Amino acid sequence: MYGKDEQFFGTNGTGGPAYEPVKIAVLDSDISPKHLKPFRMRIKARENFAGGQQNAADTDHGTTVAQLVLKACPTAHVYVAQVTKLNSFGESAVDAEAAAKAIEYAADPTGWGVDIITMSFGWTHVNKRISEALSFAKQHGVLMFASTTNYGFTETNSILYPGRAQEVICVDAAEDTGQLAGFAIEDIIQGRIERFSAPGLGIKSAISGESMDGSSFACPLAAGIAALALEFARQIPLCGSKSVQEAVQQREGMVRILREMSKLNSSSSSRFLCPWELLGDDDGVYGGDGRPGSARYFVAYRFVRLLRQEFGSDIGKEIFP
């Protein structure tokens, strides 16, 4: 991703101009800034959309989710949206109206104007306000990721909403070997939803240090991997193509890219994300400088070829006629 001596870290290339960092909104509980201190310069905003209080212990979830995003994409800027508050049982729960407002504000160019939204929550039912917000975000070219479920087939609708919404890329939890977690859905034809998976077992809590499991933690890792793909498109040579920039920001384009950097387990319908399958360099020379003949140039061509399968032959013609 960043080349030898990190000449591509935050720039188009050696001596090139800086590219716009990928902006990711994390919709979750509040965070503990103390436990994210090493990343403080990359946390650009923190806002409470729910308006109420939450249990202090629940910041563990949001802090861990935010940390996973920050680690997965080392240059991304993160915007934290608290969408949880105490319910009548004294427990912190996601407030649907708060989540809808957060999605809209995160996607709006006059708000945060993010590239990616990650949502580690869901309901069994479709929520109209959330649906409206998802549609708004898609219109603004925002990629959205949501966790699938931690309950297998015990829920009425196995893949939770918004994970099963057509605008969203849904993410399962898996072991680090790629095997789906025991609480995931092994196989389902629910609307022929394409699913991806990422490590979600044995995740170390950012606050307590305890081991945590759930698709909640796989989801931000998938969002971070997508951010790496967006970053690559902002580096040489793809930075010279506006059509590539627009295509990779669309859900359909990103799904094509994620398919290429994932593996399908024969016993599951969920593809395990392996970013090195696309963004790796077998020769171990950091991909070169992006000029013709370099590994980076070849990977860029693979990006374009994949996007052309979805959007047509005009994609990337500025670079690859």
Side-chain angles (χ1 to χ4, degrees), residues 19-97:
Y19 55 75
E20 188 72 21
V22 178
K23 299 165 70 174
I24 306 175
V26 175
L27 275 58
D28 211 284
S29 66
D30 197 11
I31 62 168
S32 168
K34 178 178 71 173
H35 292 88
L36 293 176
K37 192 173 181 179
F39 310 101
R40 63 186 182 279
M41 298 302 293
R42 294 199 284 129
I43 299 174
K44 297 301 180 179
R46 177 184 171 206
E47 188 163 335
N48 182 355
F49 288 87
Q53 295 181 330
Q54 65 174 7
N55 290 324
D58 289 333
T59 59
D60 201 353
H61 193 278
T63 305
T64 303
V65 167
Q67 184 187 71
L68 289 168
V69 168
L70 289 158
K71 284 185 173 182
C73 187
T75 65
H77 288 177
V78 166
Y79 297 74
V80 177
Q82 180 185 332
V83 295
T84 61
K85 65 180 180 180
L86 293 180
N87 59 22
S88 58
F89 301 102
E91 302 170 339
S92 287
V94 176
D95 180 81
E97 180 61 28

Side-chain angles (χ1 to χ4, degrees), residues 32 34 57 196 232 289:
S32 168
K34 178 178 71 173
F196 294 92
F232 185 79
D289 58 7

Side-chain angles (χ1 to χ4, degrees), residues 108-119:
D108 195 332
T110 63
W112 288 339
V114 302
D115 302 294
I116 297 173
I117 295 173
T118 179
M119 300 170 282

Side-chain angles (χ1 to χ4, degrees), residues 61-283:
H61 193 278
T63 305
T64 303
V65 167
Q67 184 187 71
L68 289 168
V69 168
L70 289 158
K71 284 185 173 182
C73 187
T75 65
H77 288 177
V78 166
Y79 297 74
V80 177
Q82 180 185 332
V83 295
T84 61
K85 65 180 180 180
L86 293 180
N87 59 22
S88 58
F89 301 102
E91 302 170 339
S92 287
V94 176
D95 180 81
E97 180 61 28
K101 289 179 180 178
I103 293 168
E104 291 167 345
Y105 190 77
D108 195 332
T110 63
W112 288 339
V114 302
D115 302 294
I116 297 173
I117 295 173
T118 179
M119 300 170 282
S120 292
F121 55 81
W123 301 274
T124 58
H125 59 279
V126 174
N127 182 284
K128 183 179 178 181
R129 274 291 289 124
I130 296 292
S131 297
E132 293 169 349
L134 296 179
S135 178
F136 177 84
K138 181 176 174 60
Q139 290 171 13
H140 285 83
V142 177
L143 295 168
M144 291 171 282
F145 291 79
S147 49
T148 53
T149 179
N150 294 337
Y151 307 106
F153 284 111
T154 63
E155 295 287 359
T156 304
N157 291 299
S158 301
I159 298 178
L160 299 178
Y161 187 86
R164 66 176 185 268
Q166 61 180 0
E167 300 92 345
V168 174
I169 298 172
C170 62
V171 187
D172 293 303
E175 299 176 11
D176 56 5
T177 59
Q179 188 68 33
L180 271 183
F183 52 76
I185 306 163
E186 284 297 332
D187 193 18
I188 192 170
I189 313 176
Q190 185 175 341
R192 300 196 177 277
I193 297 172
E194 185 159 16
R195 296 151 53 204
F196 294 92
S197 61
L201 299 179
I203 302 298
K204 185 178 179 181
S205 161
I207 295 179
S208 68
E210 296 178 357
S211 180
M212 306 169 74
D213 299 333
S215 59
S216 289
F217 308 113
C219 186
L221 286 175
I225 290 170
L228 292 176
L230 290 183
E231 266 199 284
F232 185 79
R234 296 176 185 183
Q235 299 170 352
I236 287 176
L238 293 179
C239 60
S241 172
K242 183 180 179 181
S243 61
V244 167
Q245 309 299 311
E246 293 174 347
V248 77
Q249 194 66 58
Q250 298 298 313
R251 180 192 181 280
E252 297 79 7
M254 181 54 68
V255 165
R256 286 277 184 178
I257 299 297
L258 293 179
R259 280 184 203 147
E260 194 75 359
M261 59 169 69
S262 63
K263 291 184 177 181
L264 185 61
N265 190 313
S266 59
S267 64
S268 167
S269 59
S270 190
R271 304 189 67 95
F272 185 65
L273 291 169
C274 306
W276 54 88
E277 288 292 311
L278 181 58
L279 298 177
D281 183 2
D282 293 336
D283 295 329

